[in-house]
Amino acid sequence: SNPVWTPPRIQMIFDVTATGPPYRTGLVTCEAVKSGGFPPQLHTTLLKVDYETGDEGEGGSVEGDQTLFLRGTEEDLQRVSKRSGLSLEKLARSVHINRAAAETSKN
């Protein structure tokens, strides 16, 4: 079979932290595809935010997390990359909000 060109794609996972009380943390998962043409543009295909809703970050006992899809769906998150063989879901699952919070507090 002939090789098929696929548009370049970028996948990112990064943590965010609130700057004011209650100082909750979150994890952003996103994917963008570079479209052809000049100037080239990025088209965001997936943008998901996982964030804390409990008070365990402040020493409390209530744990809670919420997921918000701003762009894309759960199915987009599960799509496996042909290049890496990984899905964003698998990558994001290995990074938990509380782990991201712990790393942020160390810096």
Side-chain angles (χ1 to χ4, degrees):
S1 69
N2 293 332
V4 176
W5 184 83
T6 57
R9 186 170 51 134
I10 185 169
Q11 298 173 327
M12 297 181 288
I13 298 174
F14 55 93
D15 62 314
V16 293
T17 305
T19 57
Y23 301 109
R24 295 200 171 120
T25 61
L27 194 65
V28 176
T29 306
C30 64
E31 176 182 77
V33 177
K34 186 176 178 182
S35 63
F38 186 80
Q41 297 179 348
L42 289 176
H43 171 70
T44 303
T45 56
L46 177 73
L47 183 57
K48 179 183 94 138
V49 180
D50 295 299
Y51 59 95
E52 292 181 324
T53 57
D55 64 357
E56 73 272 19
E58 296 97 38
S61 61
V62 178
E63 182 174 341
D65 299 326
Q66 182 97 17
T67 298
L68 179 63
F69 278 92
L70 300 169
R71 172 85 40 104
T73 64
E74 187 75 32
E75 290 80 32
D76 297 324
L77 190 66
Q78 295 171 0
R79 186 172 43 82
V80 175
S81 168
K82 292 176 186 167
R83 292 180 182 146
S84 70
L86 298 171
S87 68
L88 276 171
E89 177 186 41
K90 186 171 186 175
L91 290 172
R93 198 173 42 229
S94 67
V95 180
H96 187 271
I97 291 173
N98 293 332
R99 266 194 244 157
E103 290 300 316
T104 301
S105 65
K106 288 179 187 176
N107 295 334

